[in-house]
Amino acid sequence: MDQDKEIIVRDGKEFRTNPIIKGIYTADPAPMVYGDTLYLYTTHDEDELVNNFYTMYDWRCFSTKDMVHWTDHGKIFSLDDISWADDRAWAPQCIERNGKFYLYCPVHRIDGGMSIAVGVSDKPEGPFTDIGHPLVNEDDWNDIDPTVFIDDDGQAYLYFGNPELRYVLLNEDMISYNEEVGICKVPMTEEAFDKGDHMTGTSYAEGPWFYKRNGLYYMVYAAFKGGTGMEHLAYSTSKNATGPWTYGGVLMTEEGGVFTNHPGVCDFKGHSYLFYHTGDLPGGSLFHRSVCVVEFTYKEDGSIETIAKVDGIDAI
Ligand code: FUB
């Protein structure tokens, strides 16, 4: 597919229309900036549904140097590569450490429940090789939507979870975690995540995205509040990597045409971007989503105002 066919010229600049990926249905965007390139990892909603539910077998990668011209790297990891998993190739995130790339992926185990798998590669665009066993396996359904970040002191954190936000301290090898500390449960308080409609009584639902900017830690996530039954995006901040968290506000309101949304945030070449998903491609539905992007700015104190969905993105 010609990934660049949706580029138009607007105000004398190249402009890519949303959804930015149009050849297949994609969701759960996870950007990673490496060198002068932004790599975007996504899930893949199959056209044909099984049991009228999420039908997702593989992970995809796209890359760009200017936000409008994108290279499609195709399938970079799939359930076929994970002998112990059989379904639900859900929201991933990738990170580089010491020249290797680690792709953290929720999957359904053959013996039941959700767990977090890790694929390893020498290249950002894969292919990735499974480490052979789950990294996080609590034998429950909470172990989804991993988000990974390496702090300035070298400590790596993997947050994840629905309905509870939990984390582990990753070891330097990035494929194991500090078992003495174990799996830590973040207190699900209204101060941290606002009062809301999800199972903990807070608005936090799923899809955490963890990062640090100008010394402040951010947790962006999909949230439920107000009885709409649709996810909006919200954020919380902390002065420490492990909290306590303070609720920051709504990042993006819910009307995306589908019940889920999923954030991926990054800075790239002096611009700040929020990736999200909607049902805006033709044939779009709850199980046929598509990845979009919007540029935004931080206020001087690090807070973020609610970001409106837009019809596309300017070239850098
Ligand atoms: O795409 C499957 C699941 O839906 C993800 O893991 C959640 O974040 C939601 O987007």
Side-chain angles (χ1 to χ4, degrees):
M1 199 208 64
D2 177 8
Q3 282 295 335
D4 292 344
K5 70 182 175 192
E6 300 301 333
I7 298 172
I8 59 173
V9 176
R10 207 165 81 165
D11 300 331
K13 259 189 154 181
E14 282 188 311
F15 180 89
R16 186 178 191 92
T17 55
N18 271 329
I20 53 172
I21 311 297
K22 291 188 169 66
I24 56 170
Y25 295 111
T26 56
D28 307 317
M32 179 190 75
V33 175
Y34 186 67
D36 68 348
T37 304
L38 187 155
Y39 292 88
L40 180 67
Y41 302 86
T42 73
T43 53
H44 172 205
D45 287 337
E46 296 285 339
D47 293 359
E48 299 274 321
L49 296 184
V50 175
N51 296 328
N52 201 29
F53 190 60
Y54 296 107
T55 305
M56 303 167 70
Y57 303 138
D58 56 41
W59 295 272
R60 300 295 175 122
C61 180
F62 305 84
S63 67
T64 185
K65 291 183 192 301
D66 62 7
M67 296 304 286
V68 299
H69 299 91
W70 288 80
T71 302
D72 181 353
H73 299 286
K75 185 194 297 190
I76 47 132
F77 197 35
S78 98
L79 293 175
D80 290 341
D81 305 318
I82 308 173
S83 60
W84 49 271
D86 62 357
D87 203 0
R88 302 191 189 183
W90 284 5
Q93 189 178 348
C94 189
I95 199 165
E96 182 269 347
R97 184 164 207 166
N98 298 330
K100 286 211 180 292
F101 297 84
Y102 300 89
L103 186 68
Y104 299 87
C105 303
V107 289
H108 182 264
R109 293 191 321 277
I110 289 173
D111 61 359
M114 294 295 290
S115 288
I116 296 171
V118 195
V120 185
S121 177
D122 293 328
K123 291 183 290 177
E125 69 274 25
F128 289 83
T129 304
D130 175 45
I131 61 171
H133 55 85
L135 168 67
V136 178
N137 178 8
E138 298 179 274
D139 207 19
D140 67 13
W141 294 87
N142 195 77
D143 297 346
I144 68 165
D145 292 1
T147 177
V148 61
F149 170 72
I150 305 172
D151 211 343
D152 302 333
D153 62 1
Q155 178 61 60
Y157 298 84
L158 189 85
Y159 274 90
F160 56 91
N162 174 354
E164 290 183 3
L165 184 61
R166 300 177 186 167
Y167 67 88
V168 293
L169 304 179
L170 289 173
N171 293 327
E172 172 116 26
D173 65 9
M174 300 298 275
I175 58 169
S176 63
Y177 64 85
N178 184 329
E179 300 214 11
E180 265 172 44
V181 174
I183 297 175
C184 305
K185 296 189 174 189
V186 174
M188 303 305 289
T189 64
E190 290 178 17
E191 292 73 29
F193 304 112
D194 200 16
K195 190 173 162 62
D197 301 335
H198 205 38
M199 286 139 85
T200 61
T202 73
S203 78
Y204 174 86
E206 58 182 352
W209 186 266
F210 179 47
Y211 65 101
K212 182 160 93 169
R213 194 174 186 277
N214 294 338
L216 192 62
Y217 296 87
Y218 290 79
M219 190 68 69
V220 183
Y221 46 91
F224 286 114
K225 187 183 164 82
T228 64
M230 306 275 283
E231 288 181 344
H232 63 275
L233 301 182
Y235 79 101
S236 304
T237 59
S238 177
K239 294 196 171 113
N240 302 293
T242 55
W245 295 94
T246 303
Y247 180 68
V250 171
L251 206 58
M252 178 172 269
T253 55
E254 45 269 269
E255 57 287 334
V258 291
F259 127 80
T260 61
N261 198 351
H262 191 105
V265 179
C266 71
D267 282 354
F268 182 52
K269 300 186 176 174
H271 302 257
S272 297
Y273 295 105
L274 168 66
F275 291 84
Y276 58 99
H277 67 226
T278 66
D280 286 348
L281 267 190
S285 78
L286 166 55
F287 305 123
H288 296 107
R289 299 160 293 174
S290 45
V291 166
C292 300
V293 64
V294 55
E295 183 173 355
F296 72 98
T297 53
Y298 292 83
K299 288 164 76 175
E300 215 155 282
D301 63 358
S303 61
I304 315 170
E305 284 183 351
T306 303
I307 301 165
K309 297 181 176 74
V310 292
D311 58 353
I313 195 80
D314 279 322
I316 292 177

